[in-house]
Structure formats: C-alpha cells, structure tokens
Amino acid sequence: MILLTGGAGYIGSHTAVVLLRAGYEVLVVDNFCNSSPESLKRIEKITGKKCPYIRGDIRDRALLDNVFQQHTIEAVIHFAGLKAVGESYAKPLDYYHCNVFGTITLLQAMQAFGVKTFVFSSSATVYGNAPIPYTEQTPTGVPSNPYGRTKLHIEQILQDLSNSDDEWKIALLRYFNPVAAIETGEIGEDPLGIPNNLMPFISQVAVGKLPELAVFGNDYPTRDGSCVRDFIHIMDLAEGHCAALDFLQNPAHPNGVHIWNLGTGKGISVLEMIAAFEKVNQVKIPYRIAPKRDGDLAEFYANPNKAKMELNWQAKRSLEDMMRDLWNWQKNNPNGYR
Ligand code: NAD
Ligand code: UFG
C-alpha cells in the first residue's frame, strides 16, 4: 500500500487515480487545510476502487505511528505542505513548521518502521535564477521566497538522510507548472479564495467568478514581454509519480537520491496561455497589464530528458488538451468541490 500525504489535494488526487488504475492500493493522510474529502469520493467514483483516508496532520507523530502500525506501507509519496508563495512571506514560521518540520516528523516515523522508499514533491523553484533550460545537473540556487526555501531545505535533508543510511530510495520530483484536470472533469484544482496561480485565475474569469485577469508585467526580456513557464498537464505529472515509484521499487535500480524534472521542455508565455484558452474554448478572457509581481523570474522551463531516459516517461498531452480539460473541470464545477 502506498501512503499519500496530502493525497486529497490537487496533485495528490490526480496521482491517486493514476496509481489506483495501475493496480496500487493507496491510503491518504490529509488534514484538509487546503482540500476536502469530496475529492477522495470522486476518485472512488472515477476508478471504482477504494481510496481510504485518515484525517490527520503529518506533524502528529503519534498519528503517523498508528498509520504505520496498522497498515503495510511500502512507500510514501509526500505531497502534504503549504504552497502559496505570497502567504509564505507573511507566515514564514507556518511554512517552515508545516513543510520542514512536517517532513522531518514523517521521515522519523518512516525510519522507525523501516519504510525507506520516498517520493517528494519538490519544485523547479529550487534552481533559483539559473540558466535555462534547467537540467538536474544545474546547481540549485536560492529560491526567491520562503516557500521555495522550504523545498530546498527538505531536498538537502533528504540528501543528508540518504548519506547516513544507504537503504533509502528517494525521488526528488521537481515539478514545473502543473495545470488542468483529469480528462473527465470530476477532479481538479480548487483553490480557496482568490487563486494565486495563473490558470485557475483564468478559468475563474472565464466562468464569471472574477472580472478580469491582471497580467503581471509585459516588459520582461521574453518574446512577448510576459513571463514564460513550462506548463504541464496534471495527468502527465501524475503519471510521472507512478513512473518514479516503479523505478524506486525496482531492485535493479540503485538506492539513494534520484532527481527528475517533471516538465514538458517547452516554454509558453502568459499571453500565449490566455490566447490558447480563448481559442480552444471560445471564451473571452478580459485582462489588463499590471505591475510585475515580486520574485517572478522572466522565463524558465525544464530539460526533461533524464526522466525520459530513466523513467521512460514524458509529457504526452498538448497545450490544447490542457485548455480543454481545465475548462471542462471549471465549467462543470464552478464552485470547485463546494
Ligand atoms: P494542495 O494544497 O492542493 O495539496 C496539498 C495537500 O496537503 C492538501 O490536501 C492539504 O490539505 C494537505 N496538507 C497540507 N498541510 C498538511 C499537513 N500538515 N498535514 C496533512 N496534510 C496537509 O497542493 P498541490 O498543488 O497538490 O501540491 C502538492 C505538493 O506539490 C505540495 O508539497 C506543493 O508544495 C508541491 N508543488 C506544487 C506545485 C503547484 O504548482 N501546484 C508546484 C511545485 C510543487
Ligand atoms: N500570473 C499573472 N497573473 C496572475 C497569476 C500569475 O500574470 O494572476 C503570471 C505570473 O506572474 C507568472 C505566471 O503567470 O509569470 C505563472 O504564475 P503562477 O503563479 O501560476 O506560477 P509560478 O511560476 O509563479 O509558480 C509555480 C508554482 C510554485 C513554484 C514555482 C516555481 O505555483 O509552487 O512555479 O516552480 F514554486
């Protein structure tokens, strides 16, 4: 059985579907601070399989000990964490406590029960302001915000843990910008309040919940002046987790820390994303140009070749798929899971 911390959230719920379809059993631990058990019900409907969960916090060692005692956990995929970049400036202690202390508590429980296969939700933000495209050999930099720095700290902790005990099998999955939803539209990204990220903002403008999009900056040194990112379909990203887990669990593969970029390798600008959403869905997105947002980098995207070579995984879905599937989720669930 695979333990998914934060499995009710955006990336965890899509990964749960992929794992269940691949024949894995899963168990979710989530405190629902940024999600709801409704996503887990829908996973069961989509897959026709059980998606059991325990409401709890990864900082609660007694709760985790109970989980490892009562279930045969072979590996952990660790999604749980706080992820809002802006909020991390205002509440750095909450971010370090949840992300760093939470991960340490989880790893201590795993160590105590001899579970040593671990997949971690990292981020391209750990590259800081490095030359693009980022490869896994690109040295990590200093992320511009406290959230990003929690990810870098956790990566370093995992490397130190692996150095201390060579039985650990660890995947650091550096996500680029996940977007859209499962093709059937039953689960998707459901941010609380006003979305921080581009694509949920666009889809909420499209559905009439928000009046217009603010494009943060149009004089970056990019082809159209707006920022460029590597947007990846959430189902491609979810499949990347299954591939990483299969790799780690294959006894022919070496133990230790393995790093994989999960991106498409293609940069798309903010203005191009707006135009693609409008074209594919035939919906107008009113927008205005606004001042730059602090900490945004002009342009970054992945070199995804290592994941292709080692995991036999690559992003398959197109920009058009992303736009169609995002809109399918949003228009069928204008209020998310509520
Ligand atoms: P999400 O907020 O939708 O999911 C995170 C889940 O973890 C939520 O269900 C939340 O309730 C739960 N959670 C948070 N703190 C917890 C705690 N202390 N104990 C138990 N559960 C807790 O976010 P997501 O987009 O699915 O992201 C998943 C992971 O991927 C996060 O670690 C995030 O930092 C990382 N990541 C996300 C992105 C992105 O753009 N979405 C990019 C890079 C990395
Ligand atoms: N943007 C807008 N208007 C908005 C929201 C975003 O113009 O209302 C722009 C941003 O300025 C940026 C681009 O859209 O240029 C993408 O912004 P997102 O907030 O969607 O994504 P980021 O690239 O800033 O951040 C993402 C993840 C972080 C992660 C980071 C680096 O959300 O978790 O990538 O990997 F740290």
Side-chain angles (χ1 to χ4, degrees), residues 6 9-11 30-31 33-35 57-58 79 83 147 151:
Y10 174 47
I11 303 172
D30 202 303
N31 66 3
C33 68
N34 197 37
S35 58
D57 196 294
I58 53 160
F79 300 101
K83 64 161 185 178
Y147 159 74
K151 293 289 173 190

Side-chain angles (χ1 to χ4, degrees), residues 27-334:
L27 173 65
V28 168
V29 169
D30 202 303
N31 66 3
F32 301 111
C33 68
N34 197 37
S35 58
S36 89
E38 176 61 24
S39 64
L40 304 173
K41 275 197 217 147
R42 296 196 187 181
I43 292 168
E44 295 191 334
K45 194 170 148 251
I46 294 165
T47 61
K49 300 202 172 143
K50 286 272 163 236
C51 186
Y53 73 89
I54 293 163
R55 181 185 292 267
D57 196 294
I58 53 160
R59 290 163 290 190
D60 181 343
R61 178 63 197 274
L63 177 128
L64 292 178
D65 284 354
N66 240 321
V67 169
F68 285 105
Q69 243 149 31
Q70 317 239 315
H71 302 271
T72 308
I73 306 292
E74 56 196 274
V76 176
I77 309 185
H78 178 37
F79 300 101
L82 300 177
K83 64 161 185 178
V85 171
E87 186 185 58
S88 77
Y89 288 103
K91 299 179 177 171
L93 298 181
D94 288 1
Y95 273 68
Y96 282 98
H97 192 240
C98 182
N99 295 5
V100 179
F101 174 76
T103 303
I104 292 172
T105 307
L106 173 63
L107 292 167
Q108 285 174 329
M110 290 178 68
Q111 193 172 47
F113 287 88
V115 179
K116 296 185 179 177
T117 303
F118 190 75
V119 178
F120 176 58
S121 293
S122 191
S123 165
T125 194
V126 300
Y127 291 112
N129 196 0
I132 46 173
Y134 301 154
T135 74
E136 293 81 353
Q137 283 79 47
T138 303
T140 54
V142 180
S144 65
N145 57 78
Y147 159 74
R149 291 192 279 273
T150 69
K151 293 289 173 190
L152 186 58
H153 282 299
I154 296 165
E155 284 204 359
Q156 291 164 340
I157 289 167
L158 289 167
Q159 187 63 62
D160 287 335
L161 177 63
S162 169
N163 294 343
S164 75
D165 173 356
D166 62 13
E167 288 179 0
W168 282 87
K169 295 163 178 275
I170 295 172
L172 306 181
L173 301 184
R174 292 179 178 161
Y175 308 155
F176 284 71
N177 288 57
V179 296
I182 194 168
E183 291 79 358
T184 54
E186 289 126 308
I187 57 171
E189 188 170 12
D190 181 24
L192 288 176
I194 298 192
N196 299 304
N197 298 113
L198 178 67
M199 293 318 290
F201 204 109
I202 289 182
S203 63
Q204 292 200 12
V205 170
V207 85
K209 289 181 77 180
L210 295 166
E212 64 173 4
L213 171 74
V215 171
F216 299 139
N218 69 345
D219 59 354
Y220 282 100
T222 58
R223 55 185 174 267
D224 62 18
S226 67
C227 292
V228 169
R229 295 287 181 273
D230 184 336
F231 297 95
I232 174 169
H233 195 294
I234 186 69
M235 290 303 286
D236 282 326
L237 189 81
E239 287 166 8
H241 290 74
C242 196
L245 188 62
D246 289 344
F247 181 99
L248 295 185
Q249 291 196 318
N250 183 335
H253 293 144
N255 294 355
V257 174
H258 300 270
I259 306 177
W260 292 293
N261 285 339
L262 297 184
T264 66
K266 284 189 229 83
I268 316 264
S269 78
V270 171
L271 294 174
E272 288 164 350
M273 291 298 276
I274 299 170
F277 188 93
E278 291 185 328
K279 180 164 178 245
V280 171
N281 299 316
Q282 295 296 305
V283 187
K284 197 88 200 123
I285 303 297
Y287 70 87
R288 69 187 159 84
I289 304 300
K292 287 178 178 162
R293 185 170 72 175
D294 276 353
D296 274 344
L297 297 176
E299 178 163 6
F300 63 83
Y301 48 89
N303 175 329
N305 288 342
K306 186 166 181 276
K308 186 175 176 192
M309 299 275 291
E310 294 180 355
L311 302 180
N312 194 24
W313 167 91
Q314 62 182 318
K316 299 189 296 241
R317 292 161 181 88
S318 67
L319 186 59
E320 197 178 320
D321 295 333
M322 296 181 211
M323 298 304 162
R324 188 200 53 232
D325 295 339
L326 170 60
W327 186 221
N328 188 32
W329 153 253
Q330 185 74 72
K331 71 171 188 285
N332 292 321
N333 302 271

Side-chain angles (χ1 to χ4, degrees), residues 13-36:
S13 58
H14 287 83
T15 303
V17 169
V18 170
L19 292 174
L20 288 167
R21 283 176 173 169
Y24 283 103
E25 278 184 79
V26 304
L27 173 65
V28 168
V29 169
D30 202 303
N31 66 3
F32 301 111
C33 68
N34 197 37
S35 58
S36 89

